[in-house]
Amino acid sequence: MNEEKQTPESSTTVGEIDQKNSQIIEKLHNARRKIKRELDRVIVGQSEVIEELLISLFSRGHCLLEGVPGLAKTLMISTLSRTLDLSFSRIQFTPDLMPADITGTEIIEENRSTGSREFRFLEGPLFANCILADEINRTPPKTQAAMLEAMQERQVTVGRVRHALADPFFVLATQNPIEQEGTYPLPEAQQDRFMFKIYIRYPNFQEEVEVAQRTTTDISEEVQPVLSAHEIIELQHLVRTVPVSDHVFRYTVALVRMTRAGEAGVPDWVAQQVAWGAGPRAVQFLILGGKARALLDGRTHVSCRDIEALAKPVLRHRVVLSFTAQSEGVTTDEVIEKFVKATPSKEDELTKDPRFQKMFAS
């Protein structure tokens, strides 16, 4: 990974963040440790996944989780919602699920005192803070679109009435990578609505032993809430106040533009391995994620290391590999690593490199 040169812009502790916000930052830093401790009571390992979920939450983003069955995806998400004192709703997506089944519907209700009838809206399972969209690729595109509209607009429209969703609103969608029969894969344009695509890996040997020991006994762990919904909203607003130096902005944009074949300064190998690159939303999510990651670490500035750390979860569902790369067994993560290595994080190297001079001039 590239070494980063600290500049006065990127290393300052910025006086713009007042004492009140500094106390909030310290509270978030402490809350992170407490959340991790509470999750460790129930979840074994998966530290990187939990970290990315928290970053997405405080950035007001959504996550797409991919992993085989039995890796505690549902348990992890429901436990996280309890540590954050949030309402939790699980939607099991099936081929016969209709949009009204998740958004809610209007019914005709009779007023017993007057005898008149009127419509009343019954809220669907989307009206919760933390939504687990389990196996989202099993439901038809019409229902997927209703789900993704709610994620983007944070509201649902039934009839002619718009209904605002809960705040904070956090969607975690899962899909099974090994079973494609009877599924409706999310198009790339719809996947772009998710901030992160997170891979849930198999546990290592010692972790799997611990999983077996914990889950074959009659002992249950109680999880205590750490942050309230109001506190989470306050922290989400604080994330957007974290300053970012011009160099980090340039580095982030340069990294994302490296994924686009045919752009000025992009190496020739990109056209051979990448069919479609990431759009501007990737830049936005990298910056927001970098801000949240910095605050969770107790820092008040974003560095290029934060951007590098989030490159894979942000880009892996936005970079479409070419047929040649897929036939050669190249993975998206391997290509993203090449992008990171090819983009220098030191300011003087980035600005003096002829490739990026062409890019900046385009």
Side-chain angles (χ1 to χ4, degrees):
M1 189 169 290
N2 298 322
E3 292 295 326
E4 179 190 354
K5 177 182 177 182
Q6 291 291 338
T7 65
E9 284 184 317
S10 63
S11 61
T12 179
T13 56
V14 284
E16 287 87 349
I17 296 183
D18 56 25
Q19 184 177 3
K20 178 182 177 182
N21 285 348
S22 297
Q23 293 172 353
I24 298 174
I25 293 170
E26 183 65 24
K27 181 178 181 179
L28 175 59
H29 187 52
N30 293 333
R32 174 199 184 186
R33 294 197 300 268
K34 293 178 181 178
I35 291 170
K36 184 66 171 63
R37 186 175 63 243
E38 293 297 320
L39 287 173
D40 285 343
R41 297 174 182 268
V42 180
I43 305 298
V44 178
Q46 305 292 359
S47 298
E48 185 177 346
V49 174
I50 293 170
E51 179 85 0
E52 291 170 355
L53 289 177
L54 290 176
I55 291 172
S56 179
L57 169 66
F58 293 119
S59 303
R60 287 174 61 88
H62 309 287
C63 292
L64 179 63
L65 291 88
E66 186 172 292
V68 300
L71 296 183
K73 296 187 293 293
T74 302
L75 179 62
M76 184 189 307
I77 296 166
S78 62
T79 305
L80 177 62
S81 68
R82 295 202 305 273
T83 65
L84 298 174
D85 197 19
L86 299 177
S87 58
F88 172 72
S89 181
R90 175 181 178 178
I91 306 173
Q92 184 65 51
F93 283 86
T94 57
D96 60 347
L97 197 70
M98 299 299 292
D101 296 328
I102 63 174
T103 60
T105 186
E106 287 186 334
I107 63 171
I108 298 178
E109 188 175 59
E110 182 178 353
N111 188 324
R112 294 185 178 181
S113 59
T114 63
S116 62
R117 295 181 178 182
E118 56 187 19
F119 284 103
R120 182 168 69 89
F121 179 66
L122 288 180
E123 296 180 349
L126 274 182
F127 287 82
N129 297 119
C130 185
I131 308 295
L132 169 58
D134 212 359
E135 297 188 283
I136 192 172
N137 57 334
R138 285 197 174 278
T139 202
K142 186 175 183 179
T143 307
Q144 290 176 355
M147 181 75 189
L148 295 169
E149 180 185 5
M151 291 166 50
Q152 182 68 19
E153 305 297 333
R154 297 179 184 269
Q155 65 181 20
V156 297
T157 302
V158 178
R160 297 182 179 181
V161 182
R162 296 178 179 178
H163 303 272
L165 296 173
D167 197 16
F169 182 65
F170 184 42
V171 174
L172 297 159
T174 69
Q175 59 183 15
N176 186 341
I178 63 174
E179 189 176 2
Q180 298 302 321
E181 184 177 354
T183 62
Y184 303 85
L186 284 176
E188 284 75 11
Q190 293 184 355
Q191 290 189 45
D192 193 51
R193 300 291 181 183
F194 291 94
M195 180 177 185
F196 290 158
K197 182 176 183 179
I198 302 174
Y199 287 154
I200 310 294
R201 313 288 186 182
Y202 284 114
N204 61 36
F205 185 86
Q206 293 300 327
E207 289 173 346
E208 196 157 359
V209 169
E210 187 174 350
V211 168
Q213 292 172 338
R214 288 194 188 186
T215 57
T216 54
T217 64
D218 197 27
I219 301 174
S220 60
E221 294 285 352
E222 291 295 328
V223 176
Q224 300 299 320
V226 176
L227 291 174
S228 67
H230 174 74
E231 290 170 325
I232 292 170
I233 294 171
E234 187 178 32
L235 292 169
Q236 287 176 336
H237 288 301
L238 180 62
V239 163
R240 292 180 174 267
T241 69
V242 176
V244 180
S245 69
D246 291 340
H247 167 58
V248 174
F249 274 118
R250 285 193 295 268
Y251 170 78
T252 306
V253 173
L255 176 61
V256 172
R257 291 179 74 89
M258 281 284 287
T259 68
R260 305 170 191 168
E263 289 280 350
V266 174
D268 294 337
W269 63 264
V270 176
Q272 299 172 359
Q273 296 193 331
V274 177
W276 197 258
R281 190 177 279 122
V283 176
Q284 298 169 345
F285 283 144
L286 281 170
I287 294 295
L288 284 173
K291 290 183 175 188
R293 187 175 187 270
L295 286 186
L296 286 169
D297 284 343
R299 292 179 284 112
T300 56
H301 68 278
V302 180
S303 71
C304 292
R305 292 186 183 276
D306 295 313
I307 307 302
E308 291 174 355
L310 300 177
K312 287 182 181 179
V314 170
L315 296 176
R316 63 169 52 117
H317 56 302
R318 294 183 166 88
V319 174
V320 181
L321 298 185
S322 66
F323 175 79
T324 301
Q326 294 179 47
S327 63
E328 293 175 352
V330 178
T331 66
T332 308
D333 282 7
E334 290 173 346
V335 174
I336 294 171
E337 288 176 1
K338 293 175 68 174
F339 291 142
V340 173
K341 290 179 180 178
T343 310
S345 61
K346 291 183 178 180
E347 184 172 8
D348 54 349
E349 292 182 5
L350 184 65
T351 55
K352 293 178 181 178
D353 192 314
R355 296 174 303 162
F356 294 100
Q357 287 177 349
K358 293 180 182 178
M359 186 181 293
F360 297 156
S362 64

